Structures are given as structure tokens and as C-alpha cells.
Amino acid sequence: MDRAGIGKVCLALPGATLDHPFGDDHDAYRIGGKIFVMVGGEGGVSFKVSDIAYAVLTEEGRARPAPYLARAKWVNLPDPAAWPDDELAEHFAIAHSIIAAKLTRKQRAELGLA
């Protein structure tokens, strides 16, 4: 999946927005102001995963711990094009739901998630 494909998948999720907090070459997809997927200037993608997914993906070598975000259970894929599109889309949807679950009930209701 390329950068445009990542954007299409992420922005199709309920309440998702795009901004560029680290410059125009970085895309940050947010839900309720919190980032759930980031695309770097070099084309790599980082996203939030569950504790179990983090362990599995990093131990199997399918993903690496995301720089600066590994302690919060984020993984990084240097080449997202090497992954099946449907698998990536599923990971992005899960990242969206993990972050959305941390929002307040009021925020979720305002975003149409509750």
C-alpha cells in the first residue's frame, strides 16, 4: 500500500482526520485529536497495536518497534508496500479502535462512535 492508499483507508474510518504536525512530508491520522497512524517522509508507516500484536509482530520480525513510540506499543513498517493491503487496512482499523476507546464518552458521541 502506498501513501495515497494509506490515506484513503485511514480517512474512511469514522471521525478520522489528517494533519501534518511534523512537516508536510509526514501524515498523521487522528481520531479525537489523538494519532493512530503516521506516515513518515521516507514512506514508512507507524501505527498503534495491542500488547499481543506488538509482541507477535516484533518477535516474528514482521515489524520493528516504532522509534520514540515503542513503549506505547507502536510498530513501524519501513516498507508498507510489502504487506497485503487488506492486512494493513485491518491493522489501521484496529489502531483506530484502540485510540478511540481511550477517548471520553462525550468525545466518542460527538464523533458518532458511541
Side-chain angles (χ1 to χ4, degrees):
M1 185 178 300
D2 63 5
R3 185 183 210 102
I6 291 170
K8 186 175 181 179
V9 168
C10 290
L11 291 174
L13 297 168
T17 60
L18 167 65
D19 72 354
H20 306 280
F22 308 111
D24 290 341
D25 60 339
H26 288 73
D27 298 338
Y29 296 95
R30 298 176 183 261
I31 178 71
K34 297 179 182 282
I35 299 173
F36 66 95
V37 172
M38 282 193 303
V39 181
E42 307 271 322
V45 64
S46 297
F47 52 93
K48 175 74 172 153
V49 293
S50 69
D51 292 353
I52 294 170
Y54 181 85
V56 170
L57 292 171
T58 57
E59 287 173 12
E60 290 179 352
R62 296 194 64 217
R64 64 182 186 185
Y68 310 107
L69 296 169
R71 63 179 161 62
K73 305 299 188 233
W74 279 64
V75 295
N76 175 267
L77 309 177
D79 182 15
W83 280 53
D85 289 355
D86 58 336
E87 190 175 341
L88 269 182
E90 184 178 346
H91 278 294
F92 298 159
I94 292 168
H96 176 272
S97 66
I98 290 170
I99 298 300
K102 295 180 179 187
L103 300 175
T104 65
R105 185 175 298 146
K106 180 180 177 184
Q107 286 176 303
R108 288 193 306 270
E110 289 171 352
L111 293 167
L113 302 174

